[in-house]
């Protein structure tokens, strides 16, 4: 088996840092050398230019100065050349220095003691990329050298067979020592526990023998002690037997029976009290489990319609526009509800409340009047019907440049209405219907609609929630007929 060198990743990071530092130092040193050489060259060029242009500067001959300046700006390192007169007025500006940065060499032109002008020469600044391009053989050679060092370390620093065997022996010895210490500690604890058990049994026997002669003198105290130790039934029976034996020669049969009955009743009451507390807790946990379980019972369904208002536009809308829009939504919802419940398929389903659009949406509560009523299917059909109606109204309002909002719908049993409200806020999307029903409700709608589960759920309710995907042809046709009937009623 081939083993890798220890900490090979760390060594690779060190090699990478070394290569970067070496390249950086190369760029810095090359930049300094080029800057010095270009500065020296620039000073020489300025001195030579002043000697050539001294006569033209005296006469302020711009043509001659331009010819001389153009000859110098043809150099690759020169970015800009500016010649000024004695009054610091520009005679000849040549080059494009404002677009580039570099070193500027400024020198005055004199004739005797008089200043006749000045020359400012700007040299181009060499970029770091150009330096690396110039030094590419060194950079590639340094990279290959560092890669060779990394490969050599990975091969040379691998552990040998002798080192692996020695390390395995040390690990085995360490495990043996730890296992031996653990076994010795466990055996000591076991022996101590056995000794304590034996001592406690001996103490219980002696205590029972000491209590037997004193029980006739103080029967009430014996009764109290038997009540206090009701959890240990063996000790209770021993004390009761000792007490009855002691009472055989001194008391009557009725008193003995009375004392034994009192002791047994008190022990029984204490035991019942101790056992009732966990039973009560278990009942509470069972109730909570039934509330979240998929097999919970239901007889009413909540249909929640919420506006998909990401930018809180409804709150900013003026009252004279918001109130008519909410009234239109309320009218459509109530007409859709009344028309839908007239279908023979939903016989036995009735509405509990009168839904009103206030704030962010509306809620309709449907109830099953008998065991055959399909209240879950009615809730899903109502949600899909309003999605179809709101789609038409929304598109028409947008076409007329009027305010309208898309909606999202949630269908759940009444016990999970609060959970559905949270789901609509967290995972609800526009023109989407979420379904949170027990297994009985899902079975009721399984023959009519198709659903799918949420991806990557983060809570229990998101895992139990389903999303409406589509319905069969018969249901969609029924909903289309009801939609047309509602729209015709609205037009009338």
């Amino acid at each position: 088996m081939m083993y890798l060198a220890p900490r090979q990743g760390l060594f690779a990071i060190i090699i990478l840092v070394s290569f970067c530092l070496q390249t950086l130092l190369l760029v810095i040193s090359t930049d300094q050398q080029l800057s010095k050489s270009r500065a020296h060259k620039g000073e020489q060029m300025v001195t030579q230019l002043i000697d050539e242009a001294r006569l033209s500067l005296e006469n302020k001959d711009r043509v001659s100065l331009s010819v001389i300046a153009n000859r110098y700006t043809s150099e690759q390192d020169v970015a800009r050349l500016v010649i000024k007169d004695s009054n610091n007025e520009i005679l000849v500006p040549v080059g494009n220095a404002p677009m580039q940065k570099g070193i500027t060499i400024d020198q005055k032109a004199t004739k005797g003691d008089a200043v006749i002008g000045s020359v400012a020469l700007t040299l181009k600044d060499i970029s770091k990329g150009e330096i690396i391009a110039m030094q590419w053989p060194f950079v590639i050679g340094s990279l290959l050298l560092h890669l060779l060092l990394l490969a050599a370390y990975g091969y040379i620093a691998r552990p040998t067979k002798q080192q692996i065997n020695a390390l395995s022996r040390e690990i085995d010895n360490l495990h043996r020592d730890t296992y031996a210490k653990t076994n010795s500690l466990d055996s000591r604890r076991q022996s101590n526990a056995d000794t304590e058990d034996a001592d406690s049994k001996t103490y219980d026997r002696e205590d029972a023998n000491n209590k037997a002669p004193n029980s006739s003198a103080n029967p009430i105290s014996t009764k109290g002690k038997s009540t206090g130790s009701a959890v240990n039934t063996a000790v209770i029976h021993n004390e009761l037997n000792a007490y009855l034996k002691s009472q055989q020669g001194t008391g009557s049969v009725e008193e003995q029976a009375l004392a034994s009955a009192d002791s047994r009743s008190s022990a029984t009451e204490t035991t019942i009290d101790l056992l009732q507390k966990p039973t009560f807790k278990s009942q509470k946990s069972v109730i909570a489990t039934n509330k979240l379980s998929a097999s919970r019972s239901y007889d009413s369904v909540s249909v929640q319609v919420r506006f998909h208002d990401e930018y809180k536009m409804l709150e900013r809308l003026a009252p004279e526009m918001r109130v008519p829009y909410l009234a239109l939504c309320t009218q459509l919802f109530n007409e859709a509800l009344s028309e839908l419940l007239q279908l023979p398929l939903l016989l036995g389903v009735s509405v509990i409340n009168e839904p009103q659009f206030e704030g962010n949406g509306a809620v309709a509560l449907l109830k099953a009047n008998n065991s055959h009523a399909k209240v879950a299917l009615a809730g899903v059909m109502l949600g899909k019907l309003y999605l179809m109606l709101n789609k038409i109204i929304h598109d028409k309002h947008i076409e007329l440049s009027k305010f309208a909002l898309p909606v999202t719908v949630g269908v759940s049993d009444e016990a999970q209405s609060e959970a559905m409200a949270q789901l609509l806020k967290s995972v609800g999307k526009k023109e989407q219907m979420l379904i949170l029903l027990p297994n009985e409700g899902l079975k009721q709608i399984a023959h009519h609609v198709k659903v799918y589960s949420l991806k990557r759920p983060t809570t229990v309710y998101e895992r139990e929630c389903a999303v409406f995907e589509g319905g069969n042809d018969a249901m969609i046709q029924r909903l289309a007929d009801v939609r047309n009937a509602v729209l015709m009623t609205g037009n009338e």
Side-chain angles (χ1 to χ4, degrees):
M1 183 178 179
M2 186 68 67
Y3 291 92
L4 298 177
R7 297 185 180 180
Q8 192 169 0
L10 179 61
F11 187 77
I13 295 174
I14 295 172
I15 288 293
L16 179 61
V17 172
S18 173
F19 171 73
C20 294
L21 289 177
Q22 190 173 7
T23 306
L24 179 63
L25 292 175
L26 172 67
V27 171
I28 293 173
S29 62
T30 306
D31 187 31
Q32 289 181 352
Q33 292 176 1
L34 292 176
S35 298
K36 290 180 181 180
S37 63
R38 283 188 292 110
H40 182 67
K41 181 180 178 181
E43 291 176 357
Q44 291 179 351
M45 292 174 64
V46 170
T47 303
Q48 184 178 355
L49 188 147
I50 291 174
D51 292 338
E52 294 180 3
R54 185 173 281 112
L55 182 60
S56 300
L57 277 172
E58 286 184 62
N59 300 326
K60 296 184 179 180
D61 187 359
R62 296 176 182 268
V63 177
S64 301
L65 292 175
S66 298
V67 173
I68 297 171
N70 286 328
R71 190 169 67 249
Y72 281 90
T73 53
S74 62
E75 293 287 336
Q76 185 178 2
D77 295 335
V78 177
R80 183 177 172 84
L81 180 61
V82 179
I83 301 175
K84 300 179 182 178
D85 60 3
S86 58
N87 296 326
N88 206 23
E89 293 181 358
I90 297 176
L91 297 176
V92 176
V94 182
N96 56 351
M99 302 299 294
Q100 298 180 356
K101 295 182 180 179
I103 303 172
T104 302
I105 301 172
D106 195 354
Q107 187 174 344
K108 293 182 179 180
T110 59
K111 185 178 182 180
D113 295 336
V115 177
I116 61 175
S118 63
V119 177
L121 180 67
T122 303
L123 299 175
K124 294 180 181 179
D125 192 9
I126 299 178
S127 65
K128 304 300 185 293
E130 292 178 355
I131 295 175
I132 294 176
M134 292 168 54
Q135 301 290 339
W136 67 268
F138 180 82
V139 174
I140 293 178
S142 176
L143 178 61
L144 294 176
L145 178 61
H146 283 82
L147 292 176
L148 182 62
L149 288 175
L150 179 61
Y153 173 78
Y155 179 76
I156 296 173
R158 290 180 302 172
T160 61
K161 292 183 179 180
Q162 292 80 7
Q163 291 176 343
I164 294 172
N165 293 332
L167 183 62
S168 62
R169 285 194 296 270
E170 290 179 1
I171 293 173
D172 290 339
N173 294 332
L174 180 62
H175 282 305
R176 274 197 212 93
D177 295 340
T178 306
Y179 182 72
K181 290 180 181 179
T182 305
N183 286 341
S184 62
L185 186 60
D186 291 339
S187 61
R188 288 177 185 176
R189 289 177 180 173
Q190 186 65 30
S191 61
N192 292 334
D194 294 340
T195 306
E196 290 177 358
D197 291 340
D199 293 340
S200 62
K201 289 179 181 179
T202 305
Y203 178 76
D204 290 339
R205 291 195 191 109
E206 291 178 355
D207 193 13
N209 293 330
N210 291 331
K211 286 180 180 178
N214 295 329
S215 59
S216 60
N218 194 1
I220 300 176
S221 62
T222 305
K223 178 182 176 181
K225 291 180 181 179
S226 64
T227 305
S229 59
V231 180
N232 193 345
T233 56
V235 176
I236 293 173
H237 288 302
N238 290 333
E239 291 182 357
L240 288 174
N241 292 331
Y243 175 69
L244 291 175
K245 290 180 181 179
S246 64
Q247 291 293 327
Q248 285 179 359
T250 56
S252 61
V253 178
E254 294 179 357
E255 293 177 354
Q256 293 175 9
L258 221 61
S260 62
D262 290 339
S263 300
R264 291 176 182 173
S265 63
S266 61
T268 305
E269 290 173 358
T270 306
T271 306
I272 291 173
D273 291 337
L274 292 173
L275 293 175
Q276 279 179 347
K277 293 180 180 179
T279 304
F280 178 71
K281 292 181 180 179
S282 63
Q283 289 175 355
K284 290 176 66 178
S285 63
V286 168
I287 292 172
T289 305
N290 289 334
K291 185 178 179 181
L292 295 175
S293 65
S295 59
R296 61 185 181 274
S297 59
Y298 75 103
D299 59 352
S300 60
V301 168
S302 172
V303 181
Q304 303 183 36
V305 180
R306 291 287 180 266
F307 290 117
H308 190 76
D309 193 4
E310 296 179 349
Y311 305 104
K312 307 297 181 183
M313 298 174 62
L314 188 62
E315 298 177 359
R316 304 172 186 174
L317 195 64
E320 57 269 15
M321 296 179 64
R322 182 175 64 249
V323 173
Y325 178 69
L326 294 179
L328 174 62
C329 295
T330 302
Q331 180 183 358
L332 280 176
F333 198 19
N334 287 307
E335 290 178 358
L337 184 57
S338 61
E339 291 287 341
L340 183 68
L341 294 183
Q342 294 177 9
L343 294 177
L345 180 65
L346 305 180
L347 187 65
V349 179
S350 61
V351 60
I352 300 176
N353 65 333
E354 185 178 354
Q356 296 285 336
F357 275 86
E358 296 177 356
N360 197 28
V363 179
L365 295 177
L366 305 179
K367 184 179 180 181
N369 298 326
N370 52 61
S371 59
H372 302 288
K374 299 180 179 180
V375 64
L377 181 60
V380 173
M381 292 180 68
L382 177 61
K384 180 59 179 176
L385 175 60
Y386 192 77
L387 285 175
M388 297 166 65
L389 288 169
N390 189 78
K391 178 67 174 174
I392 297 175
I393 299 301
H394 178 265
D395 294 344
K396 190 63 177 178
H397 276 67
I398 297 300
E399 181 182 349
L400 299 175
S401 300
K402 293 184 178 180
F403 175 80
L405 287 173
V407 296
T408 178
V409 178
V411 179
S412 66
D413 52 319
E414 191 175 1
Q416 301 296 337
S417 59
E418 295 182 1
M420 176 53 70
Q422 295 296 326
L423 287 173
L424 291 174
K425 291 180 181 179
S426 59
V427 299
K429 299 179 181 179
K430 64 179 180 179
E431 307 298 336
Q432 188 183 64
M433 180 164 55
L434 304 180
I435 301 172
L436 185 61
L437 294 171
N439 288 337
E440 185 179 351
L442 294 176
K443 290 179 181 179
Q444 189 178 113
I445 66 175
H447 299 290
H448 302 275
V449 300
K450 184 179 180 181
V451 298
Y452 65 91
S453 301
L454 291 172
K455 296 181 180 179
R456 294 182 293 275
T458 57
T459 62
V460 178
Y461 295 110
E462 290 182 11
R463 187 176 67 246
E464 298 294 332
C465 181
V467 183
F468 180 87
E469 186 175 8
N472 57 18
D473 295 337
M475 192 191 80
I476 296 299
Q477 185 61 43
R478 290 192 184 97
L479 292 178
D481 295 339
V482 176
R483 178 197 61 189
N484 296 334
V486 171
L487 294 176
M488 292 298 294
T489 305
N491 292 332
E492 292 175 359

